[in-house]
Amino acid sequence: VFSAELKKGSVEMLILSLLDARARHGYEIGKLIEARSAGKLTFALPTLYPTLLRLENRGWIKGRWVEKPGERRRCFYRLTPEGRRILVEQRKTWEAFIDAVKAVMGTSHA
Amino acid sequence: MRDWERYVRGHLALPDLARAREARIVRELAAQLEDFYLDALSRGMTEDEADAHARAQITDWQQFAAALTNIDRPHARSRVDRWSERLDDRARQQSRGWRLLALLSDFWQDLRYAHRRIIAEPGFTAAMVLTLGLGIGLCCLLFAFLNGILLQPLPGAREPERLVSLQMPVAYPYVEQFRSELSRDHGGGVASAITAFIGPVPFNVTRDSGSGNDAGHARPERIFGHIVSLEYFATLGVQPLLGRFFDASASADASAAVVVSERFWRTRLNADPAIVGRTLRINGGHATIIGVASKDFLGVFPLNPADLFVPLTADPALAPELGGNVLTNPNATPFRVVFRLAPGETLSHAREAIAAQQRQLDQRYGKTDAAVPVTQRRPRVQLMTAGGLMPWPPELRKIPIVFFSILIILILSFTCANLGGLMLARGDGRAREIAVRLSLGASRWRLVRQLLTESSLLALAGGAVGYLAAYALFALLVRSLADTQSFFAATRLTPDLRVAITTFAMTALAGTLVGLIPALAATRPDLLRGLRDASLLGTGRHRRLGLRNLFIVYQMTAATALTLVVGFMVSGVIRSASVDLGVDTERLWLFSLDLARDGYTRDEAQRFLLGLPDRLSSVNGVDRVSVADEVPFSGQLANTPITVIDADGRETVRPVVLQRIGPGYFAALGIPVLRGAEFTADQLRATPAPTRASASASASAAAAAGPAESMQANALVPVVINETAARKLFGDREPIGALLRQNQRRLQVVGVARYGKPPLFASEPTPTVMLPLTASDVVPGPAQGLTVIVRSRAGMSLPTIAGALATLDTSASPFNLRTMNEAIQQMDRGVQYSTGFYSILGAFAIGLASIGLAGVTAQAVSRRRKEIGIRVALGAQRWNVVRLVMREAIAMVAIGVGLGLAAAFVVGRVIAAINIEMGRALVSMANPLMVLALPMFLMLVAIVTCYLPARRSSAIDPLVTLREE
């Protein structure tokens, strides 16, 4: 289980990457993070939901109420072009960061 | 299962967020909690366990709410919103009254705000109000006329929409057959009642006083009235105000009975309540007033009002029109017929039935069309409405309404579109204010309402200005029309409640139109973003303004075309009004006489006419005197066919104007007779006078008139023709001595004069043939009477000429004394009004187009503030900036004017196709001066209008604009 600080720093990026493929609703996002991390990453609703709103207010994602056949109305979020640009940027930064961290930690072990 | 939305609402309070935002958050959270719940169920939990699981997702609601509020600050609600929401809450909880109060308080706020803004920009406000006032005023004026003339029912009539009339007057035997065959009472007909009347005809009326002494001294007054069949009032369904109307059973005493209008009773009889039973002296006889018609009733077709109603059974002494067996002669056709359609009867069926009767009658009286020239053929039976102020073809009833409506809509929409552009231009300047208010949480609807309040306030002011202006102008127009048209003098034609309501509706519409689109555009959410990253360095400018540019080009086109066509028309009117008639009008006086109504017999009239020149000439100051059946220069419609007999005896028929003049006519007018000479009094004494019957009735009547008259008809009647007639009738042939035939009379040309006034748009006068005026032309005479022309010597004034008239035979009562100049002005007045109206329309179009241009330019300037600022900062000169801004505007104006010229050309061609005379005039008047000058003027106006905002642009301070970001 990771510390809260570690998790907090990544939640925005996680959400953005999950929305990269298609539009999803809030509950689905939470469940997906949990499933894909094999239960290692979980975000409670009081953390996840305000993040969604914050991202939306920044104009990176956009929520829309959709009624799918056989389901209740849900607010589906999708990436805006701006969000997509940010995601690409963050991915690059993140990878660079990981590489740097690995490089540093690798040498210390050696 | 739990109601999750209620659950969330019960725990989560977000008082600082806009209400809509709060609702969205609650809904979404509820959906997610429900997902948790359902998911838990599907994983095998019990309902209670699942419920607890879902509820466990959010435990610290207060902290959660704080986090949401913190994040969602852009959606905070404003103080105003909170206040109105509190009112809303109360309204929801409490009564309808509270809800109204909330709305009112909003409205009051909006009003105060709008008022502040309007006061803050007096120039803008004045421009808006004036333009709106002009637009609405013009529409109001149009509708006032439409309403006053076409939409009014016949005053006092019952079920006026069931009344129809025959377009062409008929002979009395026709009326009798209609009555026996078409009336439901007598036959199985289509009408429930039928009446016929002659008129309006003038009567010389004097009020008999009790003693009978004054009667001889009181000057008779010329009053117009109808000579009516006894069913007249019953057919129209008019009720008497006093006394009774004619009734068929008492027709014996009806011969000396008369009904007067309420107006006559009020203005001439002092509204005497005991008037019934008193007598009036009418023409040569006396008649007893038996009734006063209902208020405002002025006869059928009150556009030509009637104040006196004399029965058909009256003595010819009372009404000369009834002389000469007019009730039995099938060739005398003065009777207008009015039918009241029977209940359930359709117009088309009635027309068929009437037409069938008319055909039968035409056959019986030998009135077949075969022998008649095409120009004189009787048109097919046409029914007209009789329940309005004037006759109108019922199938065309909707046309003026549709036409006026389209005109009004066009004017209103143009006005609104232009002012909308102006508002939009200003809206750009207010974008920041609106953005701030939106981001503070004001709802869009609220802002739209706010902007609408502002535009409605402006529209209301404009509407008031327009209504008052239209009201005043309408009154002015009606008063000046009253000089020439008795109808306008007769009716209290003022804009009524319907006009006021329509104007208010137009105002409301204008207010909404002017405000709505700019309001929607200004509060559009994505405009916010555009504003935030306002990096609009001219990019996308053309596309964004594209539609509006097109609109301006279109307006310039329309304005150019309109002003050009109107310009041509006005110059045509001015030209035909200023044409040299060849007459020195300075010392010419005209007055009218109606000898028949003054009680003259034909012989007495003959003696009077022969003696008139000598008698008047003896008055000191009178130079020459002559008479005519019409006002000089008034005849313009070539509607009488005349037969030209050439040297070989071949005959051709040509239409001409036929006038009747006395000896010395041209000498009195001071017009030279170019060839030959005009006929003299001595010549006429030698020529036996033809009778009225042979002069005007058709061939069969003349043939029946007896041998004496046929013999007279063989004598050659001397005539004078004008130059146009000489050319059109005889070509290169010598006109003097040439022969003409009119009905059975043979005419010989004795003189050719340069005479006549070219009709509107024509370059030369209508061909005119002038016959000697005889007593039979005067008794019974035309309704306007006979015109006496007096040329005075220098220094003679109105009092002297009036004094001279007093020396006339005491039984002759002259009327309508005026100068020749006044008479000519009267002839031109109708045309002057219409050109005046079109000129206003043209000026209005130019004004509107200019305002639109100014608005668009101002908008372009405000959009490019930053660019201009940078240019100025980089060293652009003032003139560079002005040129930059004006380049686009001038391009639009140039394109518009170019297209307008083309459009004017096309319109000219179209008019030419419809109306040859007018079209020829339009083409011939396409003088280069106007074609060049008018567009130049338009360009100038347009350039000045867009220079103003352009100049302001050059005053932009680069420091200010650059600091703005």
Side-chain angles (χ1 to χ4, degrees):
Chain A
V1 175
F2 305 104
S3 72
E5 276 77 40
L6 209 53
K7 279 162 67 182
K8 213 170 211 168
S10 60
V11 63
E12 288 187 2
M13 191 174 57
L14 292 178
I15 292 175
L16 291 179
S17 16
L18 283 179
L19 296 182
D20 198 15
R22 61 181 181 87
R24 299 175 199 279
H25 57 85
Y27 183 74
E28 189 185 358
I29 294 170
K31 285 287 134 185
L32 261 177
I33 294 176
E34 196 178 340
R36 289 199 182 167
S37 65
K40 283 181 189 143
L41 284 174
T42 51
F43 293 98
L45 188 55
T47 312
L48 202 60
Y49 187 66
T51 312
L52 281 174
L53 287 191
R54 193 186 306 122
L55 291 177
E56 192 182 28
N57 282 343
R58 280 188 202 148
W60 295 354
I61 64 173
K62 176 105 186 95
R64 218 176 102 216
W65 290 88
V66 177
E67 192 156 7
K68 290 197 170 160
E71 287 182 40
R72 282 173 300 113
R73 270 168 65 84
R74 286 191 172 101
C75 190
F76 279 80
Y77 293 89
R78 60 176 168 75
L79 279 188
T80 62
E82 173 83 357
R84 208 169 292 282
R85 200 173 56 74
I86 298 287
L87 177 60
V88 171
E89 235 168 58
Q90 285 202 354
R91 267 199 183 122
K92 272 189 204 147
T93 317
W94 183 252
E95 274 157 22
F97 177 67
I98 300 276
D99 286 349
V101 169
K102 270 183 185 163
V104 171
M105 291 178 111
T107 46
S108 76
H109 270 283
Chain B
M1 195 177 93
R2 199 179 276 280
D3 177 349
W4 290 103
E5 208 164 310
R6 196 159 155 196
Y7 170 76
V8 175
R9 205 177 280 286
H11 286 83
L12 185 68
L14 299 167
D16 291 335
L17 294 190
R19 184 144 297 197
R21 185 69 182 171
E22 184 183 7
R24 185 214 139 150
I25 290 173
V26 166
R27 205 143 52 103
E28 196 178 354
L29 284 174
Q32 293 205 25
L33 290 184
E34 198 172 345
D35 278 333
F36 277 105
Y37 171 80
L38 292 173
D39 210 25
L41 277 184
S42 69
R43 280 189 279 130
M45 290 193 198
T46 66
E47 284 193 14
D48 283 348
E49 284 167 348
D51 192 68
H53 171 67
R55 286 200 284 165
Q57 295 303 320
I58 305 172
T59 46
D60 192 345
W61 285 98
Q62 251 175 2
Q63 198 195 335
F64 186 53
L68 288 176
T69 308
N70 195 29
I71 284 167
D72 241 13
R73 210 168 276 143
H75 298 279
R77 69 181 73 179
S78 67
R79 207 162 54 97
V80 178
D81 275 2
R82 252 185 254 180
W83 190 58
S84 80
E85 271 168 15
R86 213 161 54 221
L87 277 175
D88 277 354
D89 278 349
R90 236 178 255 178
R92 209 170 289 128
Q93 288 158 9
Q94 303 196 10
S95 60
R96 185 172 292 175
W98 270 105
R99 226 169 299 166
L100 193 71
L101 191 70
L103 257 174
L104 275 179
S105 79
D106 274 5
F107 180 62
W108 176 239
Q109 262 189 342
D110 286 350
L111 265 187
R112 277 183 29 192
Y113 186 77
H115 176 245
R116 274 207 305 275
R117 293 225 42 118
I118 286 171
I119 296 289
E121 294 171 291
F124 175 81
T125 305
M128 288 287 282
V129 168
L130 278 182
T131 317
L132 266 172
L134 252 176
I136 293 173
L138 204 59
C139 292
C140 175
L141 195 65
L142 281 174
F143 184 74
F145 267 98
L146 176 74
N147 178 58
I149 294 174
L150 286 174
L151 300 183
Q152 293 297 330
L154 183 60
R158 177 172 49 85
E159 288 187 83
E161 67 283 351
R162 303 297 294 166
L163 295 172
V164 294
S165 67
L166 271 185
Q167 186 189 27
M168 301 295 288
V170 298
Y172 202 69
Y174 282 56
V175 178
E176 283 176 326
Q177 170 138 344
F178 288 153
R179 203 178 278 147
S180 65
E181 298 298 322
L182 294 174
S183 155
R184 206 156 258 192
D185 296 343
H186 301 94
V190 295
S192 55
I194 300 174
T195 186
F197 67 96
I198 305 177
V201 292
F203 295 94
N204 276 356
V205 180
T206 325
R207 186 181 174 183
D208 274 352
S209 66
S211 61
N213 278 346
D214 304 344
H217 302 296
R219 272 254 172 240
E221 228 183 326
R222 220 170 139 78
I223 302 290
F224 281 81
H226 285 170
I227 302 170
V228 302
S229 77
L230 300 179
E231 319 80 348
Y232 185 79
F233 293 101
T235 306
L236 300 178
V238 172
Q239 297 299 317
L241 185 72
L242 288 177
R244 61 184 177 85
F245 292 145
F246 313 113
D247 87 55
S249 60
S251 60
D253 70 298
S255 57
V258 63
V259 171
V260 298
S261 74
E262 187 265 348
R263 172 174 72 151
F264 183 83
W265 174 66
R266 191 164 29 83
T267 58
R268 302 305 200 290
L269 304 174
N270 308 321
D272 182 355
I275 200 67
V276 172
R278 298 288 179 83
T279 57
L280 287 177
R281 196 184 142 89
I282 298 178
N283 294 337
H286 294 265
T288 311
I289 297 173
I290 62 163
V292 177
S294 64
K295 192 163 161 25
D296 291 337
F297 179 75
L298 291 168
V300 190
F301 308 139
L303 210 55
N304 293 305
D307 279 304
L308 217 58
F309 303 93
V310 173
L312 277 177
T313 47
D315 191 84
L318 223 58
E321 286 79 8
L322 292 171
N325 54 28
V326 73
L327 293 182
T328 52
N329 182 356
N331 292 309
T333 57
F335 290 94
R336 312 192 69 110
V337 190
V338 175
F339 301 86
R340 176 175 286 281
L341 292 183
E345 198 57 57
T346 65
L347 197 70
S348 56
H349 182 243
R351 176 166 39 224
E352 277 167 35
I354 295 166
Q357 291 298 323
Q358 180 133 359
R359 269 196 303 277
Q360 202 184 343
L361 285 157
D362 280 350
Q363 258 166 15
R364 185 187 312 161
Y365 295 111
K367 292 188 181 178
T368 49
D369 278 354
V372 182
V374 178
T375 50
Q376 270 199 308
R377 281 199 188 155
R378 300 166 67 88
R380 67 188 183 87
V381 170
Q382 168 74 57
L383 290 182
M384 310 289 270
T385 59
L389 298 191
M390 62 184 198
W392 191 262
E395 54 268 35
L396 300 183
R397 191 171 222 161
K398 289 206 177 73
I399 292 208
I401 299 174
V402 170
F403 174 77
F404 274 89
S405 306
I406 290 178
L407 206 60
I408 286 173
I409 288 171
L410 272 183
I411 292 174
L412 261 192
S413 61
F414 268 19
T415 316
C416 291
N418 271 322
L419 295 181
L422 217 55
M423 286 280 274
L424 203 56
R426 206 175 56 137
D428 277 8
R430 291 173 68 177
R432 194 164 297 271
E433 172 208 334
I434 290 168
V436 168
R437 300 187 59 188
L438 271 178
S439 66
L440 281 178
S443 75
R444 187 177 181 203
W445 163 231
R446 186 60 213 278
L447 276 180
V448 167
R449 221 162 45 186
Q450 160 80 70
L451 291 173
L452 273 183
T453 307
E454 207 175 309
S455 67
S456 299
L457 212 59
L458 285 173
L460 217 58
V465 168
Y467 185 74
L468 290 179
Y471 200 96
L473 200 62
F474 191 79
L476 204 72
L477 272 173
V478 165
R479 199 182 312 150
S480 60
L481 279 171
D483 290 351
T484 46
Q485 291 225 290
S486 48
F487 163 71
F488 290 102
T491 47
R492 290 181 295 279
L493 198 65
T494 49
D496 58 7
L497 192 64
R498 190 153 31 160
V499 175
I501 290 173
T502 312
T503 310
F504 184 73
M506 289 192 294
T507 305
L509 189 71
T512 314
L513 282 179
V514 166
L516 191 61
I517 293 167
L520 285 179
T523 57
R524 204 170 45 206
D526 51 323
L527 194 86
L528 268 180
R529 191 162 306 146
L531 188 88
R532 207 162 19 189
D533 38 51
S535 54
L536 278 174
L537 272 180
T539 48
R541 172 169 49 88
H542 288 284
R543 197 169 47 80
R544 292 193 75 157
L545 279 172
L547 200 71
R548 222 165 296 140
N549 280 356
L550 207 65
F551 189 65
I552 292 298
V553 167
Y554 167 62
Q555 277 194 357
M556 290 311 289
T557 305
T560 310
L562 188 65
T563 38
L564 265 180
V565 171
V566 167
F568 287 152
M569 286 204 197
V570 171
S571 77
V573 170
I574 290 171
R575 212 175 53 156
S576 55
S578 65
V579 75
D580 181 17
L581 297 175
V583 182
D584 173 18
T585 53
E586 275 313 301
R587 289 173 290 117
L588 268 187
W589 301 84
L590 303 178
F591 67 89
S592 302
L593 282 174
D594 196 336
L595 297 178
R597 269 129 200 132
D598 287 333
Y600 283 74
T601 65
R602 205 166 278 179
D603 289 341
E604 287 164 352
Q606 177 83 10
R607 275 197 296 281
F608 178 86
L609 282 181
L610 287 174
L612 181 71
D614 292 342
R615 199 162 340 149
L616 270 181
S617 300
S618 68
V619 176
N620 194 20
V622 170
D623 188 7
R624 288 171 186 280
V625 178
S626 187
V627 293
D629 66 339
E630 279 182 68
V631 177
F633 304 107
S634 61
Q636 292 192 339
L637 207 62
N639 53 5
T640 314
I642 201 159
T643 311
V644 183
I645 308 168
D646 68 14
D648 310 333
R650 270 182 303 151
E651 299 191 346
T652 44
V653 177
R654 297 249 185 267
V656 294
V657 173
L658 209 60
Q659 290 189 347
R660 291 171 184 82
I661 57 175
Y665 181 73
F666 295 101
L669 287 176
I671 293 177
V673 178
L674 302 173
R675 311 168 67 109
E678 63 178 314
F679 35 76
T680 63
D682 294 337
Q683 254 176 326
L684 294 187
R685 281 198 190 93
T687 317
T691 62
R692 181 82 178 165
S694 65
S696 61
S698 69
S700 59
E709 290 193 354
S710 336
M711 215 170 68
Q712 288 172 2
N714 282 336
L716 285 176
V717 179
V719 296
V720 178
I721 61 178
N722 70 353
E723 277 183 306
T724 321
R727 208 183 64 250
K728 289 230 165 122
L729 301 184
F730 305 111
D732 297 335
R733 208 147 60 87
E734 169 62 50
I736 300 298
L739 292 181
L740 298 166
R741 189 163 56 75
Q742 197 259 332
N743 290 336
Q744 292 303 297
R745 272 182 303 177
R746 295 208 302 149
L747 320 173
Q748 186 171 37
V749 178
V750 296
V752 177
R754 178 172 295 138
Y755 172 79
K757 185 176 185 304
L760 192 59
F761 301 126
S763 49
E764 60 175 9
T766 320
T768 307
V769 173
M770 286 151 282
L771 296 162
L773 179 92
T774 62
S776 59
D777 296 320
V778 178
V779 180
Q784 79 272 19
L786 135 110
T787 304
V788 180
I789 301 141
V790 179
R791 177 169 294 281
S792 62
R793 296 198 179 85
M796 188 161 174
S797 60
L798 189 70
T800 14
I801 197 93
L805 295 186
T807 68
L808 287 172
D809 196 331
T810 47
S811 54
S813 37
F815 59 95
N816 216 356
L817 173 65
R818 62 225 189 269
T819 66
M820 185 75 214
N821 280 333
E822 285 165 353
I824 290 175
Q825 268 169 23
Q826 260 174 21
M827 286 178 218
D828 292 336
R829 190 158 303 167
V831 182
Q832 280 165 3
Y833 280 128
S834 54
T835 51
F837 175 73
Y838 286 117
S839 305
I840 290 175
L841 213 61
F844 185 63
I846 295 179
L848 266 192
S850 305
I851 285 175
L853 195 70
V856 169
T857 313
Q859 196 178 7
V861 168
S862 75
R863 205 179 279 283
R864 297 169 75 175
R865 271 174 72 84
K866 195 167 176 188
E867 175 200 346
I868 292 169
I870 291 172
R871 281 173 191 270
V872 173
L874 289 178
Q877 290 303 302
R878 191 187 174 89
W879 172 239
N880 296 126
V881 172
V882 171
R883 201 175 53 189
L884 173 80
V885 172
M886 286 184 72
R887 202 166 48 198
E888 197 174 330
I890 289 178
M892 281 192 282
V893 173
I895 296 172
V897 168
L899 288 176
L901 278 172
F905 181 76
V906 172
V907 169
R909 286 294 138 122
V910 170
I911 291 176
I914 297 167
N915 182 329
I916 296 170
E917 285 281 307
M918 204 156 122
R920 196 186 299 142
L922 274 184
V923 173
S924 72
M925 282 185 303
N927 53 2
L929 187 71
M930 191 177 282
V931 171
L932 282 178
L934 210 63
M936 291 293 271
F937 171 70
L938 267 181
M939 289 281 270
L940 200 72
V941 170
I943 287 170
V944 168
T945 28
C946 70
Y947 175 69
L948 296 177
R951 201 187 51 179
R952 217 174 42 209
S953 76
S954 71
I956 289 174
D957 184 345
L959 280 179
V960 172
T961 52
L962 296 179
R963 205 171 40 213
E964 271 175 8
E965 294 311 315

